[in-house]
Amino acid sequence: LLQEAVSNILDNAIKYTPLRIADMCSSNDGEESVSFVRQRNIARTATKRKRKESPEIKVTLTANEPPLSAGATLYIEDNGPGIPKSERDRVFERGYRNEAVHSLPGSGLGLGISKEIINHMGGIIDILEEGPSKMGGTTVRVIVFRDPEQTNI
């Protein structure tokens, strides 16, 4: 089950962070029009303001440190557009999709399913303002415990 939860989180990071910049040109209003190839080779066009760094996704796995009980913490970070603070709880609701992503493939179920799995395992999933790598996009944190009955949170 943990593999499915993490797979859903990674799938979102891949979908909403461009994988390969194929074409870049400047428009008259100073914005950059970026065409990129996303997961499953679906071509999309996005407009990004003054964002020239290469798209990145980073996965970090660390052992839990006190005050957390024994287990592991997983960070999945990207340098994509991020999730507004006001929507960070809502993205875990089944079927919820932000207006900005309605044109992209997806059903809004992935993070909701991940949250149910992690909660069932006695773990925690949340979205942080910033992750350990400070990439500037979205950071999803998953905390799992060796013994979910004895968690220190």
Side-chain angles (χ1 to χ4, degrees), residues 1-11 61-62 71-76 110 113-125 140-146:
L1 286 175
L2 182 59
Q3 180 180 355
E4 182 176 344
V6 172
S7 176
N8 286 337
I9 298 165
L10 282 169
D11 184 61
L61 180 65
T62 63
T73 300
L74 176 74
Y75 298 92
I76 299 173
I113 291 169
S114 293
K115 184 169 183 82
E116 287 183 22
I117 291 170
I118 299 303
N119 287 344
H120 178 73
M121 296 174 62
I124 301 165
I125 181 172
V140 178
R141 176 179 64 176
V142 176
I143 304 171
V144 292
F145 303 98
R146 185 175 301 150

Short mmCIF file of all heavy atoms in Angstrom, two decimals, residues 1-11 61-62 71-76 110 113-125 140-146:
data_model
loop_
_atom_site.label_atom_id
_atom_site.label_comp_id
_atom_site.label_asym_id
_atom_site.label_seq_id
_atom_site.Cartn_x
_atom_site.Cartn_y
_atom_site.Cartn_z
N LEU A 1 0.81 -1.19 0.00
CA LEU A 1 0.00 0.00 0.00
C LEU A 1 0.86 1.27 0.00
O LEU A 1 0.50 2.25 -0.64
CB LEU A 1 -0.93 0.02 1.21
CG LEU A 1 -2.13 -0.93 1.17
CD1 LEU A 1 -2.89 -0.89 2.48
CD2 LEU A 1 -3.03 -0.63 0.00
N LEU A 2 1.95 1.23 0.73
CA LEU A 2 2.82 2.40 0.78
C LEU A 2 3.34 2.75 -0.62
O LEU A 2 3.41 3.92 -1.00
CB LEU A 2 3.98 2.17 1.75
CG LEU A 2 4.95 3.33 1.94
CD1 LEU A 2 4.23 4.57 2.44
CD2 LEU A 2 6.07 2.93 2.89
N GLN A 3 3.64 1.71 -1.39
CA GLN A 3 4.12 1.93 -2.75
C GLN A 3 3.07 2.67 -3.58
O GLN A 3 3.41 3.59 -4.34
CB GLN A 3 4.47 0.59 -3.41
CG GLN A 3 4.99 0.75 -4.82
CD GLN A 3 5.33 -0.58 -5.46
OE1 GLN A 3 5.28 -1.63 -4.83
NE2 GLN A 3 5.67 -0.56 -6.72
N GLU A 4 1.81 2.32 -3.45
CA GLU A 4 0.74 3.00 -4.19
C GLU A 4 0.63 4.45 -3.76
O GLU A 4 0.48 5.35 -4.59
CB GLU A 4 -0.59 2.29 -4.00
CG GLU A 4 -1.70 2.95 -4.81
CD GLU A 4 -3.03 2.21 -4.73
OE1 GLU A 4 -3.05 1.04 -4.31
OE2 GLU A 4 -4.03 2.83 -5.08
N ALA A 5 0.70 4.71 -2.46
CA ALA A 5 0.60 6.08 -1.95
C ALA A 5 1.74 6.94 -2.51
O ALA A 5 1.50 8.05 -3.01
CB ALA A 5 0.63 6.08 -0.42
N VAL A 6 2.96 6.44 -2.45
CA VAL A 6 4.11 7.19 -2.94
C VAL A 6 4.04 7.35 -4.46
O VAL A 6 4.35 8.41 -5.01
CB VAL A 6 5.43 6.52 -2.50
CG1 VAL A 6 6.64 7.18 -3.17
CG2 VAL A 6 5.56 6.58 -0.98
N SER A 7 3.58 6.33 -5.15
CA SER A 7 3.42 6.40 -6.60
C SER A 7 2.45 7.52 -6.99
O SER A 7 2.70 8.26 -7.94
CB SER A 7 2.93 5.05 -7.13
OG SER A 7 2.68 5.14 -8.51
N ASN A 8 1.35 7.65 -6.27
CA ASN A 8 0.39 8.72 -6.55
C ASN A 8 1.02 10.10 -6.35
O ASN A 8 0.79 11.02 -7.14
CB ASN A 8 -0.85 8.59 -5.66
CG ASN A 8 -1.76 7.47 -6.09
OD1 ASN A 8 -1.74 7.03 -7.23
ND2 ASN A 8 -2.55 6.98 -5.16
N ILE A 9 1.80 10.25 -5.30
CA ILE A 9 2.45 11.54 -5.01
C ILE A 9 3.46 11.87 -6.11
O ILE A 9 3.52 12.99 -6.62
CB ILE A 9 3.12 11.52 -3.63
CG1 ILE A 9 2.06 11.30 -2.54
CG2 ILE A 9 3.88 12.83 -3.38
CD1 ILE A 9 2.65 10.92 -1.19
N LEU A 10 4.28 10.88 -6.47
CA LEU A 10 5.26 11.09 -7.55
C LEU A 10 4.58 11.39 -8.87
O LEU A 10 5.05 12.24 -9.65
CB LEU A 10 6.17 9.86 -7.68
CG LEU A 10 7.26 9.73 -6.64
CD1 LEU A 10 7.91 8.35 -6.73
CD2 LEU A 10 8.31 10.81 -6.82
N ASP A 11 3.47 10.71 -9.16
CA ASP A 11 2.73 10.96 -10.38
C ASP A 11 2.31 12.42 -10.46
O ASP A 11 2.43 13.06 -11.50
CB ASP A 11 1.52 10.03 -10.46
CG ASP A 11 0.77 10.19 -11.78
OD1 ASP A 11 1.38 9.94 -12.84
OD2 ASP A 11 -0.42 10.57 -11.74
N LEU A 61 14.61 10.42 1.67
CA LEU A 61 14.13 9.51 2.70
C LEU A 61 15.09 9.60 3.88
O LEU A 61 16.30 9.42 3.72
CB LEU A 61 14.07 8.07 2.18
CG LEU A 61 13.58 7.01 3.16
CD1 LEU A 61 12.12 7.25 3.55
CD2 LEU A 61 13.74 5.63 2.55
N THR A 62 14.54 9.90 5.06
CA THR A 62 15.37 10.01 6.26
C THR A 62 14.74 9.21 7.39
O THR A 62 13.53 9.00 7.41
CB THR A 62 15.52 11.47 6.72
OG1 THR A 62 14.24 11.99 7.08
CG2 THR A 62 16.12 12.35 5.65
N GLY A 71 10.84 5.26 12.69
CA GLY A 71 10.19 5.13 11.39
C GLY A 71 10.96 5.92 10.36
O GLY A 71 12.17 6.09 10.49
N ALA A 72 10.26 6.42 9.35
CA ALA A 72 10.92 7.15 8.27
C ALA A 72 10.07 8.33 7.82
O ALA A 72 8.84 8.30 7.92
CB ALA A 72 11.18 6.22 7.10
N THR A 73 10.76 9.34 7.31
CA THR A 73 10.10 10.50 6.72
C THR A 73 10.55 10.61 5.28
O THR A 73 11.75 10.56 4.98
CB THR A 73 10.44 11.80 7.48
OG1 THR A 73 10.00 11.66 8.83
CG2 THR A 73 9.74 13.00 6.86
N LEU A 74 9.59 10.75 4.39
CA LEU A 74 9.83 10.86 2.96
C LEU A 74 9.40 12.25 2.52
O LEU A 74 8.29 12.70 2.84
CB LEU A 74 9.00 9.80 2.22
CG LEU A 74 9.04 9.83 0.70
CD1 LEU A 74 10.38 9.31 0.20
CD2 LEU A 74 7.91 8.98 0.13
N TYR A 75 10.29 12.93 1.80
CA TYR A 75 9.97 14.24 1.23
C TYR A 75 9.99 14.09 -0.28
O TYR A 75 10.96 13.58 -0.84
CB TYR A 75 11.02 15.29 1.61
CG TYR A 75 11.12 15.55 3.09
CD1 TYR A 75 12.04 14.85 3.87
CD2 TYR A 75 10.32 16.51 3.70
CE1 TYR A 75 12.15 15.11 5.23
CE2 TYR A 75 10.43 16.76 5.06
CZ TYR A 75 11.35 16.05 5.81
OH TYR A 75 11.46 16.30 7.16
N ILE A 76 8.94 14.54 -0.95
CA ILE A 76 8.90 14.60 -2.40
C ILE A 76 8.74 16.07 -2.75
O ILE A 76 7.72 16.69 -2.46
CB ILE A 76 7.77 13.75 -2.99
CG1 ILE A 76 7.98 12.28 -2.59
CG2 ILE A 76 7.71 13.91 -4.51
CD1 ILE A 76 6.85 11.36 -2.96
N GLY A 110 -5.65 11.02 -6.73
CA GLY A 110 -4.37 10.50 -6.30
C GLY A 110 -3.96 10.87 -4.89
O GLY A 110 -3.62 10.01 -4.08
N ILE A 113 -6.32 9.37 -2.23
CA ILE A 113 -6.04 7.95 -2.00
C ILE A 113 -4.77 7.79 -1.16
O ILE A 113 -4.72 7.00 -0.22
CB ILE A 113 -5.92 7.20 -3.35
CG1 ILE A 113 -7.30 7.14 -4.03
CG2 ILE A 113 -5.32 5.80 -3.15
CD1 ILE A 113 -7.25 6.65 -5.46
N SER A 114 -3.75 8.58 -1.48
CA SER A 114 -2.50 8.53 -0.71
C SER A 114 -2.75 8.86 0.75
O SER A 114 -2.24 8.18 1.65
CB SER A 114 -1.47 9.50 -1.28
OG SER A 114 -1.06 9.09 -2.56
N LYS A 115 -3.55 9.87 1.01
CA LYS A 115 -3.84 10.26 2.40
C LYS A 115 -4.56 9.14 3.14
O LYS A 115 -4.24 8.83 4.28
CB LYS A 115 -4.67 11.54 2.44
CG LYS A 115 -4.89 12.02 3.88
CD LYS A 115 -5.47 13.41 3.91
CE LYS A 115 -5.61 13.92 5.32
NZ LYS A 115 -4.40 14.45 5.88
N GLU A 116 -5.54 8.50 2.48
CA GLU A 116 -6.26 7.39 3.12
C GLU A 116 -5.31 6.25 3.45
O GLU A 116 -5.39 5.65 4.53
CB GLU A 116 -7.40 6.91 2.24
CG GLU A 116 -8.58 7.88 2.22
CD GLU A 116 -9.73 7.37 1.39
OE1 GLU A 116 -9.83 6.13 1.17
OE2 GLU A 116 -10.54 8.20 0.98
N ILE A 117 -4.42 5.92 2.54
CA ILE A 117 -3.46 4.83 2.77
C ILE A 117 -2.53 5.17 3.94
O ILE A 117 -2.34 4.35 4.84
CB ILE A 117 -2.65 4.53 1.49
CG1 ILE A 117 -3.56 3.92 0.42
CG2 ILE A 117 -1.46 3.62 1.79
CD1 ILE A 117 -2.91 3.83 -0.96
N ILE A 118 -1.96 6.35 3.90
CA ILE A 118 -1.01 6.75 4.95
C ILE A 118 -1.72 6.82 6.30
O ILE A 118 -1.19 6.35 7.32
CB ILE A 118 -0.34 8.10 4.61
CG1 ILE A 118 0.46 8.01 3.31
CG2 ILE A 118 0.54 8.59 5.77
CD1 ILE A 118 1.53 6.94 3.27
N ASN A 119 -2.93 7.38 6.35
CA ASN A 119 -3.69 7.43 7.60
C ASN A 119 -4.00 6.03 8.11
O ASN A 119 -3.91 5.76 9.31
CB ASN A 119 -4.99 8.22 7.43
CG ASN A 119 -4.75 9.72 7.33
OD1 ASN A 119 -3.69 10.22 7.66
ND2 ASN A 119 -5.75 10.42 6.85
N HIS A 120 -4.37 5.12 7.20
CA HIS A 120 -4.66 3.73 7.57
C HIS A 120 -3.44 3.06 8.20
O HIS A 120 -3.57 2.23 9.10
CB HIS A 120 -5.14 2.96 6.34
CG HIS A 120 -5.43 1.53 6.61
ND1 HIS A 120 -6.54 1.11 7.31
CD2 HIS A 120 -4.75 0.41 6.27
CE1 HIS A 120 -6.52 -0.22 7.40
NE2 HIS A 120 -5.45 -0.67 6.78
N MET A 121 -2.26 3.46 7.73
CA MET A 121 -1.02 2.90 8.26
C MET A 121 -0.59 3.60 9.55
O MET A 121 0.44 3.25 10.12
CB MET A 121 0.10 3.06 7.22
CG MET A 121 -0.13 2.27 5.95
SD MET A 121 1.13 2.63 4.69
CE MET A 121 2.59 2.07 5.52
N GLY A 122 -1.36 4.58 10.00
CA GLY A 122 -0.99 5.31 11.21
C GLY A 122 0.03 6.40 10.96
O GLY A 122 0.64 6.92 11.90
N GLY A 123 0.22 6.77 9.71
CA GLY A 123 1.21 7.79 9.35
C GLY A 123 0.59 9.16 9.15
O GLY A 123 -0.59 9.38 9.42
N ILE A 124 1.40 10.05 8.66
CA ILE A 124 1.02 11.44 8.44
C ILE A 124 1.45 11.83 7.04
O ILE A 124 2.54 11.49 6.59
CB ILE A 124 1.74 12.36 9.45
CG1 ILE A 124 1.39 11.97 10.87
CG2 ILE A 124 1.42 13.83 9.17
CD1 ILE A 124 2.32 12.59 11.91
N ILE A 125 0.58 12.57 6.35
CA ILE A 125 0.94 13.16 5.06
C ILE A 125 0.50 14.61 5.09
O ILE A 125 -0.60 14.92 5.54
CB ILE A 125 0.32 12.38 3.87
CG1 ILE A 125 0.73 12.99 2.53
CG2 ILE A 125 -1.19 12.31 4.00
CD1 ILE A 125 0.33 12.17 1.32
N VAL A 140 5.70 17.50 -0.53
CA VAL A 140 4.80 16.59 0.18
C VAL A 140 5.67 15.79 1.14
O VAL A 140 6.70 15.24 0.75
CB VAL A 140 4.06 15.65 -0.79
CG1 VAL A 140 3.17 14.67 -0.02
CG2 VAL A 140 3.21 16.45 -1.78
N ARG A 141 5.24 15.75 2.41
CA ARG A 141 5.97 15.00 3.43
C ARG A 141 5.10 13.82 3.88
O ARG A 141 3.91 13.99 4.17
CB ARG A 141 6.28 15.90 4.62
CG ARG A 141 6.95 15.15 5.77
CD ARG A 141 7.27 16.06 6.92
NE ARG A 141 6.05 16.61 7.52
CZ ARG A 141 6.03 17.39 8.60
NH1 ARG A 141 7.16 17.74 9.17
NH2 ARG A 141 4.89 17.84 9.08
N VAL A 142 5.70 12.65 3.93
CA VAL A 142 5.03 11.44 4.42
C VAL A 142 5.86 10.92 5.59
O VAL A 142 7.06 10.68 5.44
CB VAL A 142 4.93 10.36 3.32
CG1 VAL A 142 4.33 9.08 3.89
CG2 VAL A 142 4.13 10.86 2.13
N ILE A 143 5.21 10.75 6.74
CA ILE A 143 5.88 10.21 7.92
C ILE A 143 5.21 8.88 8.25
O ILE A 143 3.98 8.81 8.40
CB ILE A 143 5.76 11.16 9.12
CG1 ILE A 143 6.31 12.54 8.78
CG2 ILE A 143 6.51 10.57 10.33
CD1 ILE A 143 6.04 13.60 9.84
N VAL A 144 6.01 7.83 8.32
CA VAL A 144 5.49 6.51 8.72
C VAL A 144 6.27 6.05 9.95
O VAL A 144 7.42 6.46 10.16
CB VAL A 144 5.58 5.48 7.57
CG1 VAL A 144 4.61 5.83 6.45
CG2 VAL A 144 6.98 5.36 7.02
N PHE A 145 5.62 5.21 10.72
CA PHE A 145 6.19 4.76 11.98
C PHE A 145 6.35 3.25 11.99
O PHE A 145 5.52 2.53 11.44
CB PHE A 145 5.30 5.20 13.15
CG PHE A 145 5.08 6.69 13.19
CD1 PHE A 145 3.94 7.26 12.66
CD2 PHE A 145 6.05 7.51 13.74
CE1 PHE A 145 3.75 8.63 12.69
CE2 PHE A 145 5.87 8.88 13.78
CZ PHE A 145 4.71 9.45 13.25
N ARG A 146 7.42 2.78 12.63
CA ARG A 146 7.65 1.35 12.77
C ARG A 146 6.50 0.72 13.54
O ARG A 146 6.00 -0.33 13.18
CB ARG A 146 8.98 1.10 13.48
CG ARG A 146 9.32 -0.39 13.55
CD ARG A 146 10.69 -0.63 14.14
NE ARG A 146 11.71 0.04 13.34
CZ ARG A 146 12.85 0.51 13.84
NH1 ARG A 146 13.12 0.40 15.11
NH2 ARG A 146 13.73 1.07 13.06
#
